[in-house]
């Protein structure tokens, strides 16, 4: 689920982390949740995954090893948000200068046929129940590429915690338990039916996933894509894929995108990721008189307007192969900045356009290698299609494709869909690692990251205060997590419970339509200080952990 709905959170356990809140309601605001450590840190939505990552660091593994270990555990314990049937992006800073960027997002199969989709009556890609919305998963390819370039420990050591949780069982976290009861009738959900009713603490075993992880250890990518999982995917595809689609790696090292903001360099993944929106909005804000106090409604207004200007044409310009540097060209962003009225919301005349489940994790080791990794099913439980042998749920990332004839992001063989996944990283002007950050949240990811960057770099907040602070996001009523930009820049500003009262009043006075969303995003931050790491995992996850050594 890209925007999280929490049921009866007061009765949920959280692994012992501080859950004190300011205000009187259960979600008015969280207090500063910063954790400090001298030598290494991992932040995830699940304390089991964070603990596995820290154990790998303690054993001498790199931040990349720790990130893979945590990601693999999350593929077992948070299948409602991510898994081996999804995609992955990562940013790695290993030495002074620009980071390395990994795009491990899958491609549509050789049988992808947009004309047949249109003949079947579709105008947009189906979110659930249709294998054509399932690109070949890139997650495992991403783990192997990341380990091959930056790993120190053996792959067997790195994946061992995930294998153990899959085979011996793990206790369901609160949100996972709630989500699992939604899919008990789904073919292939046997792991969860065997444990039903699933409640917080229910032990769930996933023997098929344990076999899939062992296949990766013993046979590399061929053990996975050419083994039990791959055979099941080909059978499910019914011609959507051919063996060569699975034989070709989905992982690719690509050039990073970067811009200067608040005296630092901010980095992200180029298209097919929407990460350029974070950079574009941050660059637009640089020429505006942004208050340092986030409670000021002008702070919210200017960031909202920068995000609207950056994203209003996203559905037209984001596609596999789009030129990220051109999307960040100064003259393009200067024109958008000039369209912002400090006193009034812009009226945008862009015509209507057509157009989950994600985890983010951060890891830093004692040598100050930093990894910003994001892994996803797209929407909650992905396409609601399960590979029956391993019981791995398949992503529905193909919903990012267009079915408009001739559109640059049109569904077609071998194409990557536009991706909401947009991890980020910050370096100093001298090229040293400063901050690792990212979030889940569908279309809202760049908006959440923009607020985090402004709080951290402009307002000087700690990671815990910035992560815990209530947020705004942009959305369209009924648009869901992936429909924000269907009407161009005509959007509603949705305010989490606990936002400063002056925000709603001030935004409405400036002409913004406002609403109230679910609590949005699971963001994590690790910042490098003088001789220590300061990190925060998002309390919205309820079972999160910022763990260090």
């Amino acid at each position: 689920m890209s925007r999280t709905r929490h049921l009866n959170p007061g009765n949920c356990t959280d692994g012992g982390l501080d859950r004190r809140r300011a205000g009187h309601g259960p979600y008015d605001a969280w207090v500063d949740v910063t954790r400090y450590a001298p030598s290494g840190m991992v932040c995830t939505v699940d304390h089991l995954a964070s603990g596995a990552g820290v154990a790998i660091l303690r054993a001498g593994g790199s931040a990349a090893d720790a990130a893979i270990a945590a990601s693999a555990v999350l593929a077992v314990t948070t299948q409602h948000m991510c898994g081996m049937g999804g995609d992955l992006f990562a940013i790695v800073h290993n030495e002074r200068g620009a980071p390395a960027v990994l795009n491990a997002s899958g491609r549509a199969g050789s049988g992808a046929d947009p004309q047949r989709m249109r003949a079947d009556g579709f105008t947009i890609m189906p979110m659930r129940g249709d294998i054509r919305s399932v690109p070949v998963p890139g997650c495992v390819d991403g783990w192997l590429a990341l380990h091959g370039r930056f790993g120190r420990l053996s792959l067997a050591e790195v994946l061992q915690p995930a294998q153990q949780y899959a085979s011996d069982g793990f206790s369901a976290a609160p949100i996972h338990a709630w989500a699992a009861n939604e899919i008990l009738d789904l073919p292939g959900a046997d792991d969860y039916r065997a444990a039903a009713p699933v409640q917080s603490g229910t032990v769930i075993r996933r023997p098929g996933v344990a076999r899939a992880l062992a296949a990766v250890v013993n046979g590399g990518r061929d053990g996975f894509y050419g083994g039990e999982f791959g055979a099941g995917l080909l059978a499910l595809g019914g011609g959507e894929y051919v063996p060569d689609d699975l034989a070709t790696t989905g992982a690719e090292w690509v050039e990073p995108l970067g811009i200067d903001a608040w005296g630092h360099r901010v980095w992200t993944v180029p298209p097919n990721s929407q990460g350029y929106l974070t950079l574009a909005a941050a660059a637009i804000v640089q020429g505006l008189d942004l208050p340092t106090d986030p409670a000021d409604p002008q702070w919210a207004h200017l960031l909202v307007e920068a995000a609207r200007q950056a994203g209003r044409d996203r559905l037209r310009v984001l596609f596999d192969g789009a030129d990220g540097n051109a999307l960040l060209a100064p003259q393009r962003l200067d024109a958008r900045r000039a369209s912002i009225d400090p006193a009034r919301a812009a009226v945008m005349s862009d015509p209507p356009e057509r157009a989950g489940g994600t985890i983010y994790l951060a890891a830093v080791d004692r040598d100050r290698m930093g990894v910003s990794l994001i892994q996803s099913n797209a929407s909650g439980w992905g396409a609601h299609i399960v590979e029956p042998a391993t019981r791995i749920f398949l992503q529905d990332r193909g919903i990012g494709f267009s079915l408009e004839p001739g559109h640059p992001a049109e569904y077609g063989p071998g194409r990557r869909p536009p991706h909401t996944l947009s991890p980020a990283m910050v370096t100093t002007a001298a090229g040293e690692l400063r901050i690792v950050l990212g979030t889940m949240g569908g279309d809202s990811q760049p908006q959440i990251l923009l607020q985090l960057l402004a709080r951290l770099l402009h307002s000087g907040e700690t990671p815990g205060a910035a992560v815990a602070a209530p947020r705004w996001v942009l959305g369209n009523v009924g648009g869901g997590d992936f429909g924000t930009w269907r009407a161009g820049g005509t959007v509603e500003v949705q305010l989490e419970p606990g936002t400063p009262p002056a925000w709603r009043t001030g935004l409405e006075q400036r002409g913004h339509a406002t609403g109230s969303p679910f609590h949005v995003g699971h963001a994590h931050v690790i910042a490098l200080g003088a001789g220590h790491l300061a990190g925060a995992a998002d309390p919205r996850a309820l079972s999160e952990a910022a763990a260090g050594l």
Side-chain angles (χ1 to χ4, degrees), residues 14 16-22 29-37 41-44 452 456 461-471 522-527 533-542 544-548:
D14 61 9
L17 292 186
D18 186 355
R19 189 67 61 200
R20 292 170 297 171
R21 300 181 180 91
W30 286 276
V31 297
D32 190 328
V33 292
T34 306
R35 297 290 182 265
Y36 296 91
M41 184 170 282
V42 179
C43 296
T44 81
L452 289 174
L456 293 164
E461 292 187 354
T462 64
V467 166
R471 301 163 182 154
H522 290 163
H524 310 308
V525 171
I526 300 176
L533 301 171
D538 203 316
R540 293 162 181 81
L542 301 183
E544 81 294 341

Side-chain angles (χ1 to χ4, degrees), residues 81-124:
M81 294 193 289
C82 70
M84 298 171 77
D87 281 349
L88 180 154
F89 290 89
I91 308 174
V92 183
H93 190 278
N94 191 38
E95 54 189 21
R96 187 187 299 267
V101 171
L102 178 65
N103 181 337
S105 62
R107 300 179 182 274
S110 295
D113 186 343
Q115 293 184 0
R116 186 170 59 209
M117 294 290 295
R118 292 188 284 266
D120 288 345
F122 291 103
T123 57
I124 61 174

Side-chain angles (χ1 to χ4, degrees), residues 106-384:
R107 300 179 182 274
S110 295
D113 186 343
Q115 293 184 0
R116 186 170 59 209
M117 294 290 295
R118 292 188 284 266
D120 288 345
F122 291 103
T123 57
I124 61 174
M125 296 294 290
M127 185 164 286
R128 293 178 176 174
D130 196 311
I131 196 68
R132 293 173 292 188
S133 290
V134 182
V136 176
C139 174
V140 171
D141 274 335
W143 290 344
L144 294 171
L146 191 57
H147 183 262
R149 183 166 176 180
F150 294 108
R152 294 177 191 155
L153 301 183
S154 71
L155 193 61
E157 292 174 281
V158 170
L159 296 183
Q160 188 275 333
Q163 286 183 261
Q164 183 171 344
Y165 284 127
S167 61
D168 295 349
F170 62 93
S171 296
I175 295 177
H176 186 58
W178 167 70
N181 288 299
E182 290 190 326
I183 50 86
L184 294 181
D185 294 334
L186 197 66
D190 308 68
D191 296 344
Y192 301 95
R193 276 194 292 273
V198 183
Q199 301 173 334
S200 297
T202 297
V203 175
I204 299 171
R205 294 176 176 84
R206 307 196 64 199
V209 178
R211 291 197 308 274
L213 289 163
V216 175
V217 171
N218 297 323
R221 77 172 314 277
D222 288 344
F224 181 71
Y225 294 99
E228 190 176 26
F229 174 83
L233 183 61
L234 288 171
L236 285 170
E240 179 73 4
Y241 321 101
V242 299
D244 280 351
D245 295 334
L246 277 64
T248 303
T249 182
E252 179 183 6
W253 294 101
V254 296
E255 290 297 316
L257 279 183
I259 57 100
D260 294 323
W262 292 296
H264 292 74
R265 188 78 172 166
V266 184
W267 302 94
T268 193
V269 181
N272 55 320
S273 164
Q274 69 167 348
Y276 80 94
L277 293 179
T278 305
L279 306 192
I284 289 170
V285 169
Q286 296 311 293
L288 303 175
D289 187 15
L290 183 70
T292 56
D293 181 4
D296 189 326
Q298 187 72 348
W299 185 91
H301 167 67
L302 292 178
L303 292 181
V304 164
E305 288 298 274
R308 292 177 68 208
Q309 290 290 344
R312 68 188 192 190
D313 59 351
R314 199 208 82 172
L315 296 186
R316 287 203 302 268
V317 303
L318 178 60
F319 55 92
D320 188 22
D323 186 342
N325 289 311
L327 294 173
L328 297 177
Q331 59 270 30
R332 185 174 190 269
L333 301 184
D334 289 348
R336 305 214 170 190
R337 185 184 306 107
S339 299
I340 294 177
D341 184 341
R344 193 72 185 165
V347 176
M348 297 183 182
S349 58
D350 293 47
E353 302 187 51
R354 294 197 297 273
T358 299
I359 66 90
Y360 171 78
L361 66 88
V364 177
D365 63 26
R366 66 178 68 252
D367 296 325
R368 297 314 189 240
M369 176 192 290
V371 178
S372 182
L373 186 150
I374 194 162
Q375 177 186 345
S376 178
N377 292 334
S379 61
W381 298 102
H384 283 215

